[in-house]
Amino acid sequence: MKKITIVLLLLSQLPLFSQDYKFGKVSKEEVEEKVYPLDSTADAAYLFRKRRTYYEYLTNSGFQMTTEIHERIKIYTKEGFNMATKSIAYYDPENGEEQSVNSIKGYTYSIINNKLEKEKLSKQSIFKENKNKYYSIKKITMPNVKEGCVLEIKYKLTSPYTSSINDLQFQFGVPVKNLDYQIEIPEFYVFNKRSTGYYTLPMKQESKIGSVGETNYRIDVFKFNGNNVPALKDNEPYISSIDNYRGSMKFELTQRDFLSIGGDLTTYSNTWEDVSKQIFKAPSFGAELNKTSYYKDELESVLVNASSESHKIMAILSFVKDKVKWNGYNNIYTDKGVRKAFKERVGNAAEINLMLTSMLRYVGLEANPVLVSTRSNGTPIFPTLEGFNYVISMVEFGDGSYVLLDATEPFSLPNTLPERALNWNGRKVTKEGNSSWVSLSSTKYAEEDNNLMVKISEDLIIEGLLRTKFKDYSALSYRENNNHIKEENIITKLEENYNLEIEDFRVSNSLDISKPILRTLKFSSEDLIEEINDKLYIEPLLFLASNTNPFKLEDRKFPVDFATPWKDNNNMSLAVPEGYQVEKLPEPIAIGLPDNLGFFKYKVTQMGAKIQVISSLQFNNAIIAPKYYAGLKEFYNKLVNKQSEKIVFSKK
């Protein structure tokens, strides 16, 4: 009886009015709805999302692919206004066939004087923006957006590229009341269908007949329907790519068979070995590794004093980084080629790191390129050419050890790759085109050591000196974030973030990447101490304390991804102020996570006229699995609570 009552209660929360999802048939009840029935925290929702992807035959050019999208969006709060601006990326190269976004229509529905009114999307609110030399963005801004309104929009994306079907996304940052997808594929194309993420919808398959002239052919129709699809919120930190965990369906082409109408049969990659060989055989990949004449003379002069293997690696890595600057484009294929990139001193990721690999091979090292999917590109789970979008270099030694190299990053070192490349595994490709997996995970810690010496003046101003050492990945991150910024701007940011006045600021080794970053701050602040009833209250770690728990969700279905292991060590010495005595110190704490994932140690002690604070936080794994999330959240609660406890001084 209790189960029946719960079901009836849930059903009572759903709208009782009938739904009409034809374009332009928005109801007054939809506009009047105040909250999403199954998630009152939702700022917006898809009331309806429809997608139809199908093939059309054009007499002069053959098949093209068309995707029709129809969305009905409810805005509940001002925080949902971002749903009123749509950005549609499409392939639009400077040279070659392009995709197009067309047949755009839209309306905004509101209640005015108790009547349902609509405002049409104008052409002036639709414009094209060039993203880069390969892609453009069609931007659509809906009119008269306000809390409670309903937006409706539809458009078509047409493409001459029939071998690639965009992923079917079931989940978004907002919930979906009703979802209706249909994919129609001619029998000439054979796709593998693979479900990803933590949310799935059942697939229904049927068929119908299509024709080209006098020839009939079968069209396979795949349907996906869902109701009350939950949101996939990405507002928690430490996520490599939310798309790794989004409920979706991938279509991967395995075969094109036009034999029945006098054409050819073409098969595509079914294994990662097939994928790697296909990439290796491409002229803009494997053949580029064999070109050497453009760099030989300059390289030989660079290696005059390099005797050992490690010296050669560092000399070549530095030479490539200095010679060719990265243009910001990720790719596994060269664009203009290694020769031209070398000559023009700028290139994409493939040009730079294939060039690096070629030079390493030229001096006799066992070097090979490694195919990578960047963190933003997601983790390639199934064999597909689209799984990789980046390339780095690898050198192997006789003892079985190896180093990974990336010359696109000016501040990288051997085995210290930029964070974008730290994404599970890469695929090493040898001279013969064979391939195998290589771990990209780093065992190096991102390490930050802080030493703080502080005193409290008679007028209750905190005066102190902070010395910080940034090592390995922390040093790389510091250089990436700060080396291009003026010193005065760095100082201003620190002052604003920590409520300080900085009197002296020094940084050492910012350009010497072989050494850790050393930073010194001399500062003062009136805001880091409280006086209440002749007592002084101060947080032991001052502005270095963690005051909020970054983990908010009750349950997290995807891992916490720090990118690297990391450790923060804080040591502070605080002089007991004149005329005061210590009344209370925080109790020590030492807590750990299971399976040696990490620990937190914290101790505050008095040694004569000094207070000593030692705090150590360490995570030994870059990835924390979802099963540990509840424990990690509680771990951070204890950490935040402990670091928020104050030292109390009372007058003598």
Side-chain angles (χ1 to χ4, degrees), residues 202-245:
M203 180 178 72
K204 298 177 182 178
Q205 183 174 351
E206 56 189 51
S207 63
K208 62 182 183 179
I209 300 299
S211 62
V212 175
E214 300 295 324
T215 304
N216 291 336
Y217 59 89
R218 186 187 75 254
I219 299 174
D220 294 317
V221 181
F222 304 94
K223 294 183 177 182
F224 303 83
N225 297 101
N227 293 300
N228 303 314
V229 180
L232 180 66
K233 298 180 180 179
D234 60 353
N235 53 357
E236 276 236 331
Y238 307 117
I239 301 174
S240 59
S241 172
I242 194 66
D243 287 332
N244 286 340
Y245 316 107

Side-chain angles (χ1 to χ4, degrees), residues 185-190 216-220 255 257 260:
I185 304 174
E187 63 177 88
F188 314 115
Y189 297 84
V190 180
N216 291 336
Y217 59 89
R218 186 187 75 254
I219 299 174
D220 294 317
Q255 184 175 285
D257 182 0
S260 62

Side-chain angles (χ1 to χ4, degrees), residues 334-491:
T334 60
D335 179 16
K336 53 193 173 186
V338 288
R339 292 180 190 274
K340 196 169 184 181
F342 187 83
K343 181 179 179 181
E344 296 180 355
R345 304 178 68 93
V346 63
N348 68 13
E351 284 156 348
I352 290 173
N353 284 324
L354 292 179
M355 182 188 304
L356 171 66
T357 304
S358 177
M359 292 182 188
L360 293 166
R361 286 180 176 178
Y362 182 77
V363 299
L365 294 168
E366 184 63 32
N368 291 297
V370 177
L371 300 168
V372 173
S373 174
T374 59
R375 291 168 68 83
S376 61
N377 192 55
T379 303
I381 301 172
F382 310 113
T384 170
L385 288 170
E386 286 74 33
F388 300 116
N389 70 325
Y390 197 77
V391 62
I392 60 173
S393 187
M394 175 182 183
V395 178
E396 296 176 88
F397 305 106
D399 60 1
S401 63
Y402 63 86
V403 293
L404 299 175
L405 308 165
D406 188 345
T408 67
E409 173 52 63
F411 308 117
S412 70
L413 287 165
N415 284 338
T416 306
L417 300 173
E419 184 175 317
R420 61 180 170 270
L422 298 176
N423 194 25
W424 297 86
N425 295 318
R427 192 82 182 176
K428 178 186 74 172
V429 184
T430 67
K431 297 176 184 177
E432 298 75 29
N434 299 321
S435 65
S436 58
W437 290 112
V438 175
S439 175
L440 301 174
S441 301
S442 175
T443 57
K444 289 185 178 181
Y445 286 78
E447 188 169 353
E448 182 177 322
D449 295 329
N450 290 295
N451 285 283
L452 191 57
M453 292 176 287
V454 176
K455 66 179 181 179
I456 303 172
S457 68
E458 291 183 4
D459 49 357
L460 303 184
I461 294 176
I462 297 286
E463 298 173 345
L465 184 70
L466 172 64
R467 292 192 177 97
T468 305
K469 180 187 288 187
F470 300 93
K471 297 168 62 178
D472 293 318
Y473 275 100
S474 286
L476 173 60
S477 178
Y478 185 93
R479 292 182 174 107
E480 285 179 331
N481 294 331
N482 294 288
N483 273 21
H484 62 289
I485 300 176
K486 292 182 179 179
E487 184 177 288
E488 55 264 35
N489 293 335
I490 297 174
I491 293 171

Side-chain angles (χ1 to χ4, degrees), residues 85-88 90 101 104 121-130 136-142:
T85 301
K86 191 156 196 70
S87 297
I88 307 162
Y90 60 100
V101 180
I104 301 171
L121 172 68
S122 69
K123 291 182 179 179
Q124 289 71 32
S125 297
I126 305 170
F127 56 94
K128 176 182 174 181
E129 185 178 283
N130 292 323
S136 293
I137 295 174
K138 188 76 75 173
K139 282 207 166 182
I140 303 168
T141 304
M142 297 298 291

